[in-house]
Amino acid sequence: MMDDAPNEVPVAEQSVCDHQWLLKRMSIDGREHRSRLLWQTFLRDRPYFTCDDLGYVRGSAGNNPYLGRFSLQEDGRINWSQIPEISRMGNVRESSELEQDYLRALPLTDSLNVEGDALILQDEGGMTRLEFRRTDNPPPPAP
């Protein structure tokens, strides 16, 4: 007899780090980011998230590239060993409110879950939540 329930693949095996993820929605401490409509219009201003097998997390926080590090457990729990911050390797631009909130929200998260083409990072109570959509290409850099 076959089981009708789908087999859940551990998060660590869902190739999270094989994809790039573009921010779609962000809530911090229970409030939706207020300038959401504006940054959803301009792809180059949208933060994105990538990671590698060593746990390094990088991307663009909107205006500037960032770098951090986390460890991912099979059950989707994450532990931030290096808080994401703006990388000093390039020309640092003035941070927008979105960039500041994004970099503040990332280390508040403690779980990671993949649902279809969505990546969700959130804290235990769900008050801080970042929802990303899988994309083949990161947004172009800001001029």
Side-chain angles (χ1 to χ4, degrees):
M1 194 164 168
M2 295 184 67
D3 187 3
D4 290 335
N7 293 332
E8 285 197 28
V9 178
V11 171
E13 295 176 21
Q14 291 181 5
S15 67
V16 169
C17 293
D18 290 342
H19 301 285
Q20 298 174 77
W21 305 90
L22 189 63
L23 186 66
K24 181 178 180 188
R25 183 172 298 139
M26 178 172 59
S27 297
I28 303 170
D29 299 328
R31 71 168 175 84
E32 184 92 11
H33 192 275
R34 66 177 167 228
S35 64
R36 186 169 78 86
L37 292 177
L38 180 61
W39 59 262
Q40 284 206 358
T41 304
F42 301 108
L43 281 181
R44 72 170 187 262
D45 295 336
R46 256 198 228 186
Y48 72 93
F49 177 94
T50 61
C51 57
D52 63 26
D53 293 338
L54 299 175
Y56 285 98
V57 174
R58 58 183 56 86
S60 171
N63 294 340
N64 297 290
Y66 69 90
L67 178 67
R69 192 170 189 190
F70 71 165
S71 57
L72 174 61
Q73 307 301 313
E74 278 192 30
D75 65 355
R77 305 288 299 162
I78 56 177
N79 181 20
W80 293 97
S81 57
Q82 180 182 343
I83 302 299
E85 61 183 30
I86 293 172
S87 171
R88 301 293 178 199
M89 293 172 48
N91 293 334
V92 177
R93 297 183 178 101
E94 187 173 336
S95 292
S96 65
E97 179 185 353
L98 172 62
E99 182 171 75
Q100 292 171 19
D101 284 348
Y102 178 77
L103 289 173
R104 186 169 64 89
L106 271 177
L108 295 176
T109 62
D110 57 14
S111 70
L112 179 149
N113 188 29
V114 176
E115 297 176 5
D117 70 342
L119 170 66
I120 299 168
L121 279 76
Q122 65 182 6
D123 67 359
E124 188 173 326
M127 296 293 287
T128 297
R129 179 182 168 102
L130 293 97
E131 183 178 329
F132 299 84
R133 288 285 179 236
R134 186 172 41 230
T135 182
D136 293 328
N137 300 306

